[in-house]
Amino acid sequence: MAGNIAPEAAAAVRYTVLKLRLHPTPEQAALFEKTFGCCRDIWNQILSDQRRFYEETGTHFLPTPAKYKKEAPFLKEVDNQALIQEHNKLSQAFRAFFKNPETFGYPHFKRKKDDRDSFTACNHVFESGPTIYLTKKGIRMTKAGLVKARFSRRPRSGWKLKRITVEKTRSGNYYCYILYECRVRQAEPVLP
């Protein structure tokens, strides 16, 4: 019977995103605003230091966000993962630029009025549990705690939460985009 599916079919990894409307408290909204500003600040500081380092040495180097925490203690007040993700995005922008400079321009400085307010944080699972997870009424985030949310749909069983992106729209609403890793069984034909 050609076309039958083997019982031990291989599982492929796919990704899906769920969008939630967030309803933060005034304190959580203030933390989000501070995180947006810190992410923009760390991007600009790393980019500035990279330019100076390149002019002085002729080599490319991106310092990590940890370098700036002594000079700017306010960076310790926000989620460290958001700062690390800004470093990773800047690294990715430089890789794209070096690979194809005509298509991808040199990374530019971020300005508050031009760029969207957003930050990304990865989920890590420790012995004590994950750093980010959904509850019945919202989403629990590092530093922010439980943020109330409105769900249009829920993740399926077996989906793994990988990272979130929190965004503020021009109208002042907050949204959360949650990236999930999903295992999907692929059908393999059984030969007769």
Side-chain angles (χ1 to χ4, degrees):
M1 284 194 201
N4 285 347
I5 299 173
E8 297 89 24
V13 175
R14 297 220 174 116
Y15 296 93
T16 191
V17 175
L18 296 184
K19 180 180 177 181
L20 309 176
R21 168 84 186 271
L22 297 178
H23 300 282
T25 64
E27 295 81 19
Q28 290 169 333
L31 177 64
F32 290 166
E33 293 298 323
K34 187 178 285 190
T35 306
F36 299 147
C38 287
C39 287
R40 188 171 40 255
D41 183 58
I42 205 76
W43 174 285
N44 290 339
Q45 285 186 45
I46 293 172
L47 183 56
S48 175
D49 286 352
Q50 188 282 331
R51 282 184 174 183
R52 190 183 74 248
F53 187 81
Y54 184 78
E55 289 170 2
E56 293 172 0
T57 66
T59 58
H60 174 73
F61 172 72
L62 289 178
T64 63
K67 173 190 177 203
Y68 304 99
K69 287 191 177 180
K70 262 188 192 174
E71 301 162 6
F74 59 88
L75 293 175
K76 295 178 183 176
E77 298 173 18
V78 300
D79 186 0
N80 187 44
Q81 282 299 312
L83 302 178
I84 291 170
Q85 288 305 310
E86 283 301 303
H87 177 269
N88 292 346
K89 288 178 192 175
L90 187 56
S91 295
Q92 184 179 6
F94 271 110
R95 280 193 303 274
F97 169 71
F98 289 132
K99 186 175 181 179
N100 192 347
E102 293 80 29
T103 304
F104 302 100
Y106 190 84
H108 63 279
F109 290 101
K110 291 186 174 184
R111 297 181 347 166
K112 184 174 184 174
K113 67 178 192 173
D114 294 340
D115 291 308
R116 71 178 197 169
D117 287 332
S118 70
F119 68 86
T120 300
C122 288
N123 186 29
H124 295 285
V125 180
F126 298 109
E127 287 180 18
S128 59
T131 56
I132 302 168
Y133 58 91
L134 293 184
T135 66
K136 288 182 181 180
K137 296 183 179 182
I139 182 167
R140 182 164 297 280
M141 298 180 209
T142 309
K143 300 275 187 175
L146 179 63
V147 181
K148 289 185 180 177
R150 188 170 63 215
F151 298 88
S152 57
R153 67 180 224 190
R154 292 278 185 165
R156 292 183 183 166
S157 177
W159 287 10
K160 284 185 179 177
L161 192 151
K162 300 305 280 182
R163 70 173 171 249
I164 63 167
T165 298
V166 175
E167 176 184 67
K168 181 181 176 185
T169 63
R170 290 187 188 269
S171 62
N173 295 325
Y174 292 92
Y175 290 92
C176 182
Y177 301 89
I178 308 173
L179 177 71
Y180 282 97
E181 178 183 273
C182 318
R183 297 226 175 255
V184 180
R185 293 186 68 101
Q186 289 185 324
E188 293 181 10
V190 176
L191 300 174

